[in-house]
């Protein structure tokens, strides 16, 4: 097999990339200066060699513990549980959460063969039960069916610990338009309404 | 290419590109279909929350028989079935039903199977906690029946001899491979092996008959008996679908992957206690 064919085959294994796109990317790289291809290859190698799961929260990171777990200014008594490392970035961009995280590494999905044993639950239960002062666990799994059932399961397994378990709210997006929102979202927004005195 | 409007249930979704999804739908008029839902992940998508797993709606499909992937033009949500996510057992039973449809239903109209699926999902939505296992078992057996795999429970699957439910004790042989009960003449002598037949206690046979009858009161199954019924159904499905095939949702539901383990089960289901009044969720 030629080197071109090798690269096309490897690229076409990536999600969302078919054979034609893989061919296009291959020929694009061949037309670039050799340094461009080297940098890409080095970056791929480095990410595999250096990135690992944080031993505390499970987030993918260069350092263990990660920058959030090792930051003394973060509140260790509030833990936000998310499905994937990318979700941490989304919440951090909002700039309002000052607690710490726990990354499950997925969500319950029977159809995909993902059960509780595939999630990083023992770490979470250990953090809640090790006397480190966790007062609240915020479940921030996605509002999909699998995310909701994962939240239900987490609530069950955390209940015996006595820790406060909360779920992120669902509702209308900022800048959204009621006229274009679907009925389910509007119903959820109405259910999660709150007194205006609480609003900031 | 025809624009077809049909009621449909979302069985599975796969991300495709940054904004689209491929959905597998159980449709009432076209059987199980794959379709691309373009732009579904955009913030102002016209599909909105409609394409959630197990939700039901009116789907508009650009359909061509020769195509493997249709185009979903619209999906007007009718039922979201959010209640299924409030109990892991309900969700597990529902996804096992979705998996049966995905793996066993044809790409051809099969309204009976569609109706069995939606009836089973709705029964699970309303199931009280103690009845979730029995409701899921009934839904799965009735769906199997609608897909052409109904077990023979009233007469011998081999020679047609009537095999009535026994009022007291005793045992009835059930052959997974042959798809039903065996009369005393056809049943292999005990002890049974996996290739021959399972010996069902009379109570388990009565419960199995009730589970396969949508009009019968739902039997009350204690956890060990429910586990034995789950194993029997899973063995039945795996045999008829092919032992080598993976059925992760059925496996998840069968072993109650979310529950603490039960005491070691006996090989043969023990008689269940006297049936309690049927939970209303069965209807």
């Amino acid at each position: 097999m030629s080197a071109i064919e090798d690269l096309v085959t490897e690229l076409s294994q990536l999600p969302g990339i078919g054979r034609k796109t893989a061919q296009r990317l291959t020929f694009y790289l061949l037309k670039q200066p050799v340094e461009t291809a080297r940098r890409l290859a080095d970056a791929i190698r480095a990410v595999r060699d250096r990135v690992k799961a944080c031993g505390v929260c499970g987030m993918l990171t260069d350092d263990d513990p990660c920058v959030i777990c090792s930051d003394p200014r973060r509140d260790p008594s509030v833990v936000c549980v998310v499905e994937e490392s990318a979700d941490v970035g989304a919440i951090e961009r909002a700039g309002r959460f000052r607690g710490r995280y726990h990354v499950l590494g997925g969500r319950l999905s029977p159809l995909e063969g993902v059960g509780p044993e595939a999630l990083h639950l023992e770490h979470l239960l250990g953090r809640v039960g090790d006397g480190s002062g966790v007062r609240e666990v915020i479940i921030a799994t996605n509002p999909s069916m699998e995310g909701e059932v994962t939240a239900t399961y987490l609530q069950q397994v955390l209940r015996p610990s006595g820790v406060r378990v909360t779920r992120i709210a669902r509702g209308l997006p900022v800048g959204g338009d009621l006229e274009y929102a679907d009925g389910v979202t509007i119903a959820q927004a109405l259910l999660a309404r709150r007194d205006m005195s609480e609003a900031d | 290419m025809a624009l077809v409007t049909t009621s449909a249930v979302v069985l599975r979704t796969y991300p495709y590109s940054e904004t689209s999804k491929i959905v597998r739908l159980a449709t009432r008029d076209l059987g199980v279909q794959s379709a691309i839902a373009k732009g579904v992940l955009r913030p102002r998508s016209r599909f909105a929350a409609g394409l959630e797993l197990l939700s039901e709606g009116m789907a508009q499909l650009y359909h061509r028989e020769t195509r493997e992937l249709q185009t979903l033009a619209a999906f007007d949500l009718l039922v979201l079935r959010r209640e299924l996510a409030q109990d892991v057992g309900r969700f597990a039973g529902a996804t096992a039903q979705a998996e049966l449809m995905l793996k066993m239903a044809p790409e051809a109209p099969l309204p009976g199977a569609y109706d069995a699926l939606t009836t089973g999902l709705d029964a699970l939505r309303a199931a009280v906690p103690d009845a979730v296992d029995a409701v899921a078992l009934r839904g799965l057996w009735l769906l199997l029946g609608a897909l052409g795999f109904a077990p023979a429970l009233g007469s011998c699957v081999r020679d047609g001899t009537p095999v009535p439910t026994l009022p007291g004790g005793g045992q009835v042989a059930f052959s997974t491979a042959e798809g039903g009960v065996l009369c005393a003449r056809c049943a292999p002598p005990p002890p049974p092996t996996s290739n021959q037949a399972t010996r069902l206690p009379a109570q388990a046979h009565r419960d199995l008959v009730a589970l396969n009858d949508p009009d019968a009161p739902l039997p009350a199954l204690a956890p060990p008996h429910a586990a034995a019924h789950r194993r029997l159904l899973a063995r039945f499905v795996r045999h008829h679908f092919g032992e080598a095939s993976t059925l992760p949702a059925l496996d998840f539901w069968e072993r109650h992957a979310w529950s603490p383990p039960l005491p070691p089960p006996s090989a043969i289901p023990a008689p269940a206690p006297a049936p309690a009044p049927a939970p209303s969720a069965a209807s």
Side-chain angles (χ1 to χ4, degrees):
Chain A
M1 197 187 284
S2 71
I4 289 178
E5 195 60 24
D6 269 352
L7 185 56
V8 168
T9 304
E10 292 304 322
L11 288 173
S12 61
Q13 306 295 317
L14 300 176
I17 296 187
R19 195 155 182 87
K20 280 193 175 173
T21 305
Q23 279 176 349
R24 204 162 59 241
L25 292 171
T26 301
F27 286 109
Y28 170 82
L29 286 170
L30 285 171
K31 285 180 187 166
Q32 299 305 304
V34 71
E35 265 313 301
T36 304
R38 286 221 175 95
R39 277 201 306 274
L40 177 63
D42 289 345
I44 291 172
R45 191 173 297 122
V47 85
R48 290 303 304 165
D49 289 347
R50 294 213 303 260
V51 175
K52 51 193 167 295
C54 169
V56 180
C57 71
M59 184 171 71
L60 295 175
T61 173
D62 282 10
D63 308 306
D64 189 8
C66 67
V67 289
I68 294 175
C69 289
S70 55
D71 184 347
R73 292 167 300 177
R74 308 288 299 221
D75 181 357
S77 68
V78 185
V79 174
C80 180
V81 180
V82 295
E83 293 179 15
E84 302 288 354
S85 293
D87 300 331
V88 172
I91 296 175
E92 285 295 289
R93 281 195 295 279
R96 296 298 299 268
F97 179 65
R98 298 304 301 162
R100 293 190 176 165
Y101 292 94
H102 187 88
V103 179
L104 293 172
R107 74 271 190 267
L108 289 182
S109 178
L111 285 163
E112 293 169 28
V114 181
E117 65 283 350
L119 306 179
H120 300 149
L121 289 175
E122 284 183 15
H123 272 73
L124 175 64
L125 294 175
R127 290 176 76 180
V128 169
D130 67 359
S132 58
V134 175
R135 286 185 293 108
E136 179 179 358
V137 173
I138 303 171
I139 302 176
T141 50
N142 286 320
S144 62
M145 282 289 269
E146 287 107 331
E148 289 296 333
V149 83
T150 305
T152 301
Y153 181 71
L154 285 173
Q155 185 196 18
Q156 283 171 15
V157 297
L158 289 168
R159 192 180 295 140
S161 71
V163 72
R164 182 182 181 210
V165 180
T166 55
R167 180 86 172 103
I168 54 167
R170 295 180 293 255
L172 295 164
V174 174
D177 194 325
L178 270 175
E179 191 181 348
Y180 293 103
D182 64 281
V184 177
T185 304
I186 292 175
Q188 293 285 353
L190 284 170
L191 279 173
R193 70 189 185 279
R194 61 183 186 179
D195 290 332
M196 289 189 71
S197 57
E198 293 174 25
D200 47 4
Chain B
M1 192 184 303
L3 182 62
V4 180
T5 302
T6 174
S7 51
V9 174
V10 179
L11 299 177
R12 185 115 193 234
T13 64
Y14 305 86
Y16 182 82
S17 77
E18 289 195 356
T19 56
S20 302
K21 277 184 183 178
I22 289 175
V23 291
R24 296 270 284 153
L25 299 170
T27 70
R28 198 163 200 288
D29 299 338
L30 300 168
V32 174
Q33 294 285 332
S34 298
I36 184 163
K38 291 180 182 169
V40 66
L41 297 174
R42 289 203 174 97
R44 289 192 176 192
S45 160
R46 64 190 183 284
F47 295 109
L51 291 179
E52 273 295 313
L53 187 66
L54 305 171
S55 64
E56 185 177 2
M58 290 302 291
Q60 288 182 30
L61 287 162
Y62 286 107
H63 180 257
R64 184 178 286 171
E65 272 190 27
T66 52
R67 278 194 176 171
E68 287 187 0
L69 187 65
Q70 315 298 339
T71 301
L72 187 64
F75 190 86
D76 297 325
L77 184 68
L78 297 174
V79 194
L80 190 56
R81 298 201 172 93
R82 206 79 187 176
E83 302 87 343
L84 293 172
Q86 291 165 2
D87 181 296
V88 188
R90 285 184 198 167
F91 186 71
T95 51
Q97 290 185 42
E99 189 172 70
L100 279 196
M101 280 297 277
L102 277 169
K103 301 279 175 83
M104 297 176 98
E107 289 181 19
L110 203 56
Y114 182 84
D115 292 341
L117 173 69
T118 54
T119 303
L121 295 178
D122 287 335
L124 273 171
R125 277 171 77 194
V128 294
D130 288 346
V132 167
D133 255 336
V135 171
L137 279 160
R138 172 170 281 173
L140 285 160
W141 278 120
L142 294 177
L143 180 57
L144 278 168
L147 290 167
F149 294 91
L153 296 172
S155 58
C156 176
V157 69
R158 202 175 288 173
D159 65 9
T161 304
V163 181
T165 53
L166 303 171
Q171 290 185 333
V172 176
F174 181 91
S175 168
T176 302
E178 294 177 72
V181 293
L182 296 168
C183 64
R185 197 170 52 237
C186 296
T193 67
S194 59
N195 292 332
Q196 294 175 327
T198 302
R199 296 266 165 191
L200 298 179
Q203 179 66 54
H205 181 219
R206 285 197 295 273
D207 290 342
L208 190 57
V209 170
L211 288 169
N212 277 273
D213 178 357
D215 299 322
L218 195 69
L221 302 175
H225 306 127
H229 277 283
R230 292 198 306 272
R231 287 195 299 277
L232 181 71
L233 184 138
R235 199 159 63 237
F236 187 88
V237 171
R238 288 196 189 98
H239 179 87
H240 292 285
F241 186 64
E243 294 281 350
S245 302
T246 55
L247 295 161
L250 186 74
D251 178 63
F252 183 86
W253 168 78
E254 180 201 352
R255 64 188 172 93
H256 264 216
W258 64 97
S259 301
L262 289 169
S266 60
I268 300 169
S280 57
S283 55

